Amino acid sequence: MLSADAILYLESEENYVHIVHLDGGKVKDYELRSSMKALEETLEQHGLVRCHRSYFVNPSHVTLVKKDPSGYALARLSHEGIKDIPVSKRYYDSLTALL
């Protein structure tokens, strides 16, 4: 069983959702055949926040939300080697309010 606290972010890719999480201090990726829409209610109940059409992020692992020179917002996570997660204008305010 995967704890919600261990989840760093989720990314959708066609009919799959990649759940990037911590397992014993190591970053792992679990692939689930599902859609974000099907998981949305459960994810929100466990404190994860939609930050983009294709991403949910765990705000407890976000250290910074910054805008690049072109105005595109990115969330930086607390673990090394993890890509910055895009944050769309639609979800920017709700994510930054939690930080």
Side-chain angles (χ1 to χ4, degrees):
M1 186 72 176
L2 184 60
S3 163
D5 293 337
I7 296 173
L8 299 171
Y9 69 92
L10 289 92
E11 177 181 7
S12 68
E13 183 180 345
E14 296 180 11
N15 295 327
Y16 293 90
V17 174
H18 292 274
I19 303 170
V20 179
H21 62 96
L22 296 174
D23 183 7
K26 293 183 179 180
V27 176
K28 300 219 174 160
D29 183 352
Y30 178 78
E31 188 174 80
L32 177 67
R33 185 170 173 83
S34 185
S35 69
M36 286 291 208
K37 191 67 179 168
L39 298 173
E40 187 168 15
E41 187 176 328
T42 302
L43 294 172
E44 289 174 348
Q45 288 174 356
H46 291 285
L48 282 90
V49 178
R50 185 180 283 273
C51 62
H52 185 275
R53 184 174 75 88
S54 301
Y55 289 88
F56 268 83
V57 70
N58 186 337
S60 66
H61 292 288
V62 175
T63 58
L64 171 72
V65 176
K66 63 180 174 117
K67 290 189 177 181
D68 67 11
S70 64
Y72 195 71
L74 298 167
R76 175 148 306 146
L77 300 182
S78 58
H79 289 74
E80 291 292 319
I82 304 246
K83 66 181 182 178
D84 290 344
I85 306 301
V87 179
S88 66
K89 291 177 186 175
R90 178 178 179 182
Y91 301 107
Y92 181 84
D93 291 337
S94 61
L95 177 60
T96 56
L98 295 171
L99 304 178

